[in-house]
Amino acid sequence: MNRVVHPIEVESYRRLRARLDTSHFPPLTRAVVERVIHSAADLEYATDLVMDEGDLEQAHAALHSGAPVVTDVEMVAAGITRRETVCRLRDAKPGPGLTRSAHAIRLAHEQVGPGAIWVIGNAPTALEELLTLDADPALVIGLPVGFVGAVESKAALRESGLPAVSNMSEKGGSAVASAALNALLYHPTHPSEETS
């Protein structure tokens, strides 16, 4: 099913590209960079984001083949369109040395098993917990926001060698995390479907 793009979004992308040349990025990297910038109106993401095109290609294929999508919070889930997601935060309970967000990640891992796409935009502890599990993810979109633990958790994600989208700074959040996933959802599965 083709996605109908609203004229405001078309104009937003036109203005974005007038201010920032993204043509040097490979296709999926460009899609993620542009959609994240579009969601935050923050051009600095062009140099802040870290990802690998090969990882994105594999994740794109997994996503379009039905890989489960797990989010750390409902706000991330709400931003992901055209796809059901798993978020276990409502079922989670904090414990000694375990935040509610971290427990939700454990519960989700028990539910979905390996090969999922994990989208973390809020809690650094959720990302930290994911890195302790044998999750074997198709991709981890690790963009938690904050002054405590966010930079460190994203650095740990990059050091883990897992296929990932992350960023270097404290910036992040639900909107940008869901935007990164939506970029892969919206990107065509065949070159003939390319529109932008």
Side-chain angles (χ1 to χ4, degrees), residues 88-156:
R88 296 296 303 275
L89 191 61
R90 290 182 186 199
D91 306 317
K93 296 184 178 11
L98 186 72
T99 66
R100 187 169 166 234
S101 295
H103 186 227
I105 294 299
R106 285 188 190 177
L107 294 173
H109 178 252
E110 291 169 6
Q111 179 178 338
V112 302
I117 295 174
W118 296 79
V119 190
I120 297 174
N122 184 66
T125 58
L127 182 53
E128 291 163 2
E129 183 64 25
L130 179 60
L131 295 177
T132 70
L133 303 174
D134 186 21
D136 191 23
L139 185 70
V140 178
I141 295 174
L143 296 168
V145 62
F147 294 114
V148 179
V151 168
E152 295 83 356
S153 67
K154 291 181 274 195

Side-chain angles (χ1 to χ4, degrees), residues 14-185:
R14 187 195 68 73
R15 292 184 188 192
L16 184 163
R17 290 170 179 160
R19 293 176 61 183
L20 178 71
D21 181 8
T22 59
S23 63
H24 62 284
F25 289 117
L28 288 168
T29 299
R30 181 183 188 191
V32 171
V33 167
E34 288 186 344
R35 190 146 296 275
V36 165
I37 290 171
H38 175 261
S39 74
D42 187 344
L43 298 173
E44 290 181 3
Y45 275 109
T47 54
D48 191 38
L49 287 165
V50 179
M51 66 197 95
D52 175 79
E53 184 73 6
D55 289 345
L56 295 180
E57 288 170 356
Q58 291 180 4
H60 182 260
L63 183 62
H64 289 277
S65 294
V69 175
V70 181
T71 68
D72 63 331
V73 293
E74 295 288 347
M75 285 293 289
V76 174
I80 295 171
T81 56
R82 302 173 67 181
R83 191 61 186 271
E84 292 296 314
T85 61
V86 172
C87 180
R88 296 296 303 275
L89 191 61
R90 290 182 186 199
D91 306 317
K93 296 184 178 11
L98 186 72
T99 66
R100 187 169 166 234
S101 295
H103 186 227
I105 294 299
R106 285 188 190 177
L107 294 173
H109 178 252
E110 291 169 6
Q111 179 178 338
V112 302
I117 295 174
W118 296 79
V119 190
I120 297 174
N122 184 66
T125 58
L127 182 53
E128 291 163 2
E129 183 64 25
L130 179 60
L131 295 177
T132 70
L133 303 174
D134 186 21
D136 191 23
L139 185 70
V140 178
I141 295 174
L143 296 168
V145 62
F147 294 114
V148 179
V151 168
E152 295 83 356
S153 67
K154 291 181 274 195
L157 172 59
R158 290 189 296 278
E159 290 164 12
S160 74
L162 294 174
V165 174
S166 69
N167 68 311
M168 305 292 287
S169 72
E170 295 95 346
K171 293 189 296 191
S174 299
V176 297
S178 59
L181 190 280
N182 284 336
L184 298 178
L185 266 179

